[in-house]
Amino acid sequence: MHEPEIILIRVSGDDKPGLTAAVTAELARHKADVLDIGQSVIHDTLSLGILVKVPTEAESTPFLKDLLFCGHKLGVNLTFTPVASEHYASWVDAQGKERRIVTLLARRLNAQHIAAVTGVIARNGLNIDVITRLSGRAALDEADSPRMACVEFSVRGTPDDLTAIKSEFLAISAELGVDIAIQEDNAFRRNRRLVAFDMDSTLIAAEVIDELAKTAGVGAQVSAITELAMRGEIDFKESLRRRLRLLRGLPADNLETVARRIPLNDGAERLIANLKRFGYKIAIISGGFTYFGLRLKERLGIDYVFANELEIKDGKLTGEVVGEIVDAAKKAEILRMIAEKEGLSLQQVIAVGDGANDLPMLGMAGLGIAYHAKPVVKKGAGQAISTLGLDSILYLVGVRDRDTLS
């Protein structure tokens, strides 16, 4: 008995309802086995590929003739490519190769952006299997287009040096003003359930302690110490103690005044509203202060808040905190504790932060994102977002614009 024929059928033309149904009905009439199938539609133009095994008892000539006649009636083009059994076997064996998702984000994408990213993919021996647009359709008038654009590449292969690829993507991001993420494509990536945020300069657009310092008239001194801590040049606990001493005696009423004037970062409300809708738990794990974290909990529906509690006596700040200081190590410990409480693997956790004291937490999470961070933090984190708002994180978990609340 001769071996069955394997044929790749390509269908192209104007998309219309019932087209795929008609082609596959013809295949069914000839009792063909479908080995693989894929379809995409760009601007109402269909591209459909079907890999079939023609049964040994069937004759390929009438089989193909009938398919061509079917295509003629549908007004589409059909082409056929025979596939050698050895080639097919090699293709099947390749399914165990590593897969990754490369996400390209920008205010508006152009060919230069895509060429730069796909060039890195190609030079590193990776093959693109699928390209998907996650953002809404772009209008010719930029004012009517979505405020973000995102394309996702599903790539296959084992890179020689993943760190080098990430470095190339960071360089492209800096040069072209885009954000690029690369992450392993696995079941955890599609099943994240907890997002932990740093607060100051991540969820909110300020460092609270700097704002308190301005109120107390010691802004310059405190900001200088904050900057050293953010760059990782000074121990966080020591930096916090130094800054708080400068706030000793500040009336506690100023906390409310400062809280009212600090805005959320771009996209924070949209991100959290959608994450809650999709069933995520949300945590704030911050080296900032519980007073401000609890206000965000009430406003945004945060599930967990862990931060430093300011000590207040006689209506004034004492320059100390109550209990243990939440530093880098403590943040990671808290993240692990919340994941265990929720019954989650750390691979199901997303962590977002901007400072050096966030790095242990970002490194522990399945998806660690440096948000508008210093270079040392971008390099140390798994991913970085530097050009878009917090709601662009939705793209990194594969959410399309059409699935979100605006």
Side-chain angles (χ1 to χ4, degrees):
M1 182 180 295
H2 66 280
E3 64 180 29
E5 291 183 87
I6 300 173
I7 299 174
L8 174 61
I9 304 167
R10 296 185 180 93
V11 184
S12 60
D14 293 340
D15 189 29
K16 63 192 72 174
L19 194 154
T20 302
V23 173
T24 52
E26 190 63 37
L27 293 174
R29 193 169 70 84
H30 286 276
K31 296 181 172 56
D33 290 334
V34 175
L35 304 174
D36 196 19
I37 185 169
Q39 176 177 305
S40 65
V41 177
I42 298 179
H43 194 58
D44 295 330
T45 299
L46 170 84
S47 178
L48 168 64
I50 311 176
L51 188 65
V52 301
K53 181 178 74 171
V54 182
T56 53
E57 64 272 17
E59 293 289 338
S60 63
T61 301
F63 170 73
L64 300 181
K65 182 179 177 181
D66 289 346
L67 279 173
L68 283 170
F69 184 65
C70 176
H72 174 72
K73 288 191 296 182
L74 294 167
V76 295
N77 298 314
L78 272 73
T79 61
F80 308 103
T81 304
V83 177
S85 57
E86 307 84 43
H87 189 191
Y88 177 75
S90 297
W91 176 76
V92 171
D93 291 341
Q95 67 185 329
K97 286 188 177 180
E98 295 179 20
R99 290 183 178 272
R100 287 179 169 78
I101 296 293
V102 177
T103 310
L104 169 61
L105 310 99
R107 293 293 176 194
R108 194 173 177 93
L109 288 173
N110 61 41
Q112 184 183 14
H113 302 152
I114 295 173
V117 170
T118 55
V120 173
I121 292 170
R123 286 194 299 275
N124 285 274
L126 303 177
N127 188 67
I128 299 172
D129 284 340
V130 181
I131 302 175
T132 306
R133 173 174 49 82
L134 299 184
S135 51
R137 296 174 179 175
L140 293 177
D141 184 350
E142 290 193 28
D144 296 329
S145 283
R147 61 191 185 85
M148 296 183 290
C150 176
V151 173
E152 180 184 271
F153 304 86
S154 175
V155 302
R156 175 169 35 87
T158 304
D160 292 332
D161 189 341
L162 187 57
T163 301
I165 293 176
K166 289 182 177 180
S167 295
E168 286 191 75
F169 282 156
L170 280 175
I172 292 170
S173 297
E175 179 186 353
L176 301 182
V178 298
D179 290 320
I180 308 164
I182 179 169
Q183 52 183 311
E184 188 177 351
D185 187 12
N186 55 30
F188 292 120
R189 189 251 176 184
R190 297 181 293 275
N191 194 32
R192 313 283 192 202
R193 285 295 174 265
L194 168 67
V195 185
F197 294 94
D198 173 49
M199 182 170 62
D200 295 26
S201 296
T202 300
L203 270 183
I204 59 176
E207 292 288 324
V208 167
I209 197 164
D210 290 350
E211 297 303 309
L212 291 172
K214 291 174 189 176
T215 304
V218 291
Q221 300 97 303
V222 168
S223 290
I225 300 170
T226 299
E227 188 65 20
L228 291 174
M230 292 293 291
R231 292 201 302 262
E233 296 178 16
I234 184 173
D235 172 74
F236 178 79
K237 284 185 177 180
E238 178 58 28
S239 74
L240 183 63
R241 291 190 184 100
R242 286 191 201 176
R243 289 176 289 175
L244 283 175
R245 288 187 202 114
L246 293 169
L247 299 181
R248 186 180 294 136
L250 180 69
D253 292 348
N254 286 282
L255 298 179
E256 174 63 23
T257 303
V258 168
R260 282 200 302 266
R261 74 173 185 239
I262 296 179
L264 292 169
N265 263 324
D266 180 36
E269 284 189 283
R270 178 173 179 264
L271 170 62
I272 292 177
N274 279 287
L275 290 174
K276 296 289 289 183
R277 176 170 165 254
F278 297 140
Y280 284 75
K281 293 290 186 178
I282 312 295
I284 290 174
I285 306 176
S286 173
F289 306 115
T290 53
Y291 180 91
F292 301 90
L294 292 173
R295 286 177 65 96
L296 291 176
K297 179 179 182 179
E298 182 178 348
R299 176 177 176 180
L300 300 175
I302 306 294
D303 298 289
Y304 298 93
V305 174
F306 291 89
N308 296 302
E309 184 180 350
L310 289 166
E311 186 178 66
I312 299 172
K313 289 183 179 178
D314 301 324
K316 295 181 180 181
L317 273 62
T318 67
E320 303 292 338
V321 296
V322 177
E324 185 180 355
I325 289 176
V326 178
D327 62 358
K330 190 66 177 178
K331 283 188 173 190
E333 179 186 326
I334 292 168
L335 183 66
R336 185 184 297 277
M337 179 269 292
I338 296 174
E340 289 178 355
K341 181 177 179 181
E342 293 291 336
L344 301 174
S345 159
L346 287 168
Q347 286 297 311
Q348 295 176 274
V349 174
I350 301 170
V352 188
D354 71 300
N357 66 325
D358 295 312
L359 280 172
M361 178 173 75
L362 300 184
M364 177 180 287
L367 177 62
I369 303 168
Y371 179 73
H372 290 253
K374 297 289 189 295
V376 66
V377 183
K378 289 182 189 179
K379 183 176 273 191
Q383 318 296 339
I385 291 176
S386 300
T387 62
L388 301 179
L390 281 168
D391 51 345
S392 63
I393 290 172
L394 291 167
Y395 294 133
L396 298 190
V397 293
V399 176
R400 299 169 184 259
D401 279 357
R402 68 186 186 215
D403 298 324
T404 63
L405 300 169
S406 58

